[in-house]
Amino acid sequence: MTDVKPETLDKLKTVSVATLCTALFKRGLRNQVVQDVRPVKAKGENMVGPAFTLRYMPAREDRNTLAEFRNPEHPQRKAIEDCPPGHVFVMDSRQDAYAASAGDILITRLMVRGGAGVVTDGGFRDAMRIGELEMPAYHNRPSSPTNLTINEAIDINVPIGCGGAPVFPGDIVVGDDDSVVIIPAHMADEIADEAVEMTAYEDFVVEQVKGGATIIGLYPATKDENLQKFAEWRKANGR
């Protein structure tokens, strides 16, 4: 697992998922957004942390009765207790929200243990309560049936797919009020640095466009005069 600098995580809290997608695309990565997930409730700030994963597989009826939850080693329960503080718990629920990936009691426990957030490409039970928690949570939609209905929790902290995106343990997960992106850990530092620079220029562009400027030559910057204006704007705004 690649160590990511704490200052990198701080930088990633200040940039949008859209900007991160552009930085990743420049490096040839096109498939890092977790598709068809959204915040249970918008928080107005980014979720950032290394990924800790859980994989579900299709349930076989003789193996997935309610009695399984009495097993202290049940992978879903164990993963909640094992997820390190500061990590984002990411679940591969086979892109199926027919049954829930977890409910408010487990997600509350994750939050109390210091989790940075939770993402599933399935759904949550008691979603309205999860939305009221301080910890960010992302899913496809509310779903009331227990996960045992169609899923078996089978693997903890292994490579998974979540919403079509590859997720390796330790990859950096960033979620904003739009969506979630997965940044390979080994490139997180450079992606964060570039995204901060891109964000400064994008903020400048928005201000210029609101003032009536054309986007031609401004976005992207192809005129030296716009780069000069940006340098002056940046100095004046401490960016």
Side-chain angles (χ1 to χ4, degrees):
M1 184 182 297
T2 302
D3 290 331
V4 175
K5 296 182 291 189
E7 53 265 37
T8 291
L9 301 181
D10 290 339
K11 290 175 182 177
L12 292 171
K13 292 177 181 177
T14 69
V15 298
S16 71
V17 168
T19 297
L20 292 169
C21 286
T22 301
L24 288 163
F25 179 67
K26 288 180 181 179
R27 291 159 176 81
L29 278 72
R30 295 174 166 83
N31 196 37
Q32 298 305 117
V33 169
V34 180
Q35 297 294 323
D36 297 321
V37 306
R38 54 200 56 84
V40 177
K41 185 175 182 179
K43 301 298 183 186
E45 58 185 28
N46 283 9
M47 171 190 73
V48 179
F52 184 88
T53 67
L54 174 68
R55 182 175 73 89
Y56 285 104
M57 65 174 285
R60 199 178 74 191
E61 289 78 2
D62 63 315
R63 290 175 53 91
N64 288 273
T65 69
L66 285 174
E68 292 302 315
F69 287 154
R70 296 180 178 274
N71 177 5
E73 296 299 309
H74 183 270
Q76 184 206 42
R77 266 53 176 174
K78 191 172 188 303
I80 292 289
E81 296 293 337
D82 288 354
C83 182
H87 283 57
V88 177
F89 186 39
V90 185
M91 290 179 276
D92 171 5
S93 292
R94 305 190 296 121
Q95 295 181 270
D96 192 341
Y98 180 92
S101 304
D104 68 314
I105 294 175
L106 270 64
I107 302 307
T108 299
R109 174 61 179 162
L110 179 70
M111 180 187 72
V112 169
R113 293 195 61 257
V118 60
V119 181
T120 178
D121 57 7
F124 286 127
R125 307 178 85 179
D126 316 302
M128 66 287 197
R129 294 176 182 167
I130 292 172
E132 294 305 316
L133 297 175
E134 292 181 9
M135 185 182 72
Y138 295 78
H139 72 165
N140 177 267
R141 63 171 173 81
S143 180
S144 295
T146 176
N147 68 87
L148 296 169
T149 308
I150 59 169
N151 286 331
E152 177 175 350
I154 196 71
D155 280 324
I156 298 175
N157 216 30
V158 298
I160 62 170
C162 185
V167 186
F168 292 84
D171 281 351
I172 304 303
V173 186
V174 182
D176 62 13
D177 285 349
D178 286 339
S179 55
V180 176
V181 66
I182 310 298
I183 304 173
H186 70 276
M187 62 175 62
D189 294 339
E190 63 179 276
I191 291 290
D193 288 343
E194 181 168 339
V196 167
E197 293 299 307
M198 291 170 63
T199 298
Y201 187 72
E202 289 166 357
D203 290 347
F204 162 74
V205 167
V206 169
E207 186 175 302
Q208 296 298 302
V209 170
K210 285 181 177 179
T214 175
I215 60 170
I216 306 302
L218 174 66
Y219 187 69
T222 57
K223 292 184 177 180
D224 290 342
E225 64 186 77
N226 286 321
L227 292 175
Q228 180 61 37
K229 285 181 181 178
F230 172 56
E232 295 169 358
W233 176 91
R234 196 167 196 179
K235 185 177 180 179
N237 288 275
R239 298 289 295 274

